[in-house]
Amino acid sequence: LFVGNRTYDYHLTENSPCIDSGCPNPIYNDPDGTRADIGAYNFHQDDPSIHDYSLNFDGIDDYVDITVGSELMITDEITVETWVKTSSLETEIFLIKSSVSPLNGDWWFSIINNRWQVKTHGGSGTVSSINDITIDRWYHLAFSSDSVSLKFYVDGVFQGEDFSHGALYGTEYPLYIGKYSEDYFEGLITEVRIWNGILDEQTIQANMFPFLF
């Protein structure tokens, strides 16, 4: 029925009997236009890779501006993770926590030279992915950082470490998803998670697919 019962991943599998078994009234049809499925998440029959709760950014003017409270003013230990699928390699920064100004970041994810990259502390800490990005493919990105080191993971695999970045600013400036200045992201972003602590590689791998309750 489900992708991973033991890991609490309740997305439907391709052959699940729950597909097209929900309410037959067309007003309850799934986003792909088919009859409603049974379950917490519908199975997109045109593109099974689509996560129905993803944010879809058009690369023109779509973005999310999150007002930051004290819970996101983190200065020491932090782990950030997200799923992302880009339709273009032209975007640079697509997920940024601003710091001393809206255009200066405490930390951010970006696309640089066809690779994923994470930076912290205004850019003094930098780690890039080992491999080039494949367009229209889902990736899980995560980094952990404290005042000593910055570690970067792609699909749960360690990419590298930087020891030169220092502590975070932890200011009240916003968190932006999908844009930086006038540079807008084209693609899908989902499940942005921010932890006020360090998650190791095994925990990041274990957290990639289960849902949070």
Side-chain angles (χ1 to χ4, degrees):
L1 293 178
F2 306 112
V3 172
N5 291 340
R6 293 183 179 180
T7 57
Y8 305 104
D9 185 348
Y10 294 114
H11 286 88
L12 301 178
T13 60
E14 185 174 2
N15 298 316
S16 173
C18 295
I19 296 174
D20 292 342
S21 297
C23 180
N25 191 322
I27 67 172
Y28 298 112
N29 280 356
D30 289 335
D32 61 4
T34 60
R35 177 175 168 174
D37 301 331
I38 296 176
Y41 299 92
N42 69 275
F43 183 85
H44 201 293
Q45 298 180 48
D46 292 332
D47 182 359
S49 69
I50 291 178
H51 188 309
D52 300 304
Y53 292 90
S54 302
L55 297 176
N56 192 338
F57 299 90
D58 61 8
I60 300 173
D61 57 6
D62 290 347
Y63 71 97
V64 177
D65 180 341
I66 299 177
T67 300
V68 169
S70 59
E71 67 276 3
L72 291 181
M73 296 180 190
I74 301 172
T75 58
D76 189 14
E77 295 185 348
I78 186 173
T79 302
V80 180
E81 54 181 323
T82 185
W83 283 94
V84 58
K85 180 168 75 169
T86 183
S87 300
S88 171
L89 296 176
E90 297 180 4
T91 303
E92 291 190 0
I93 298 172
F94 59 87
L95 174 57
I96 179 172
K97 166 60 180 72
S98 303
S99 58
V100 296
S101 74
L103 298 182
N104 189 354
D106 222 358
W107 52 261
W108 65 84
F109 289 107
S110 59
I111 299 171
I112 302 294
N113 296 325
N114 295 348
R115 296 194 178 189
W116 302 114
Q117 187 178 91
V118 62
K119 285 181 176 284
T120 59
H121 195 69
S124 60
T126 304
V127 184
S128 297
S129 62
I130 297 171
N131 299 315
D132 288 346
I133 298 169
T134 299
I135 294 292
D136 292 326
R137 172 194 181 282
W138 279 108
Y139 289 88
H140 183 267
L141 308 181
F143 79 84
S144 64
S145 171
D146 56 23
S147 59
V148 177
S149 71
L150 164 66
K151 297 180 180 180
F152 186 33
Y153 305 86
V154 176
D155 293 336
V157 178
F158 179 68
Q159 303 293 296
E161 188 170 10
D162 191 326
F163 295 95
S164 63
H165 67 112
L168 303 178
Y169 298 109
T171 63
E172 73 280 4
Y173 284 96
L175 170 68
Y176 293 106
I177 304 175
K179 84 155 192 171
Y180 170 72
S181 185
E182 298 304 315
D183 187 21
Y184 293 89
F185 176 76
E186 182 181 358
L188 302 175
I189 298 176
T190 191
E191 295 185 20
V192 178
R193 302 175 180 182
I194 301 173
W195 308 84
N196 60 345
I198 298 295
L199 303 186
D200 60 22
E201 184 171 1
Q202 291 72 28
T203 305
I204 289 173
Q205 291 170 353
N207 281 351
M208 284 173 58
F209 299 105
F211 303 115
L212 299 180
F213 299 96

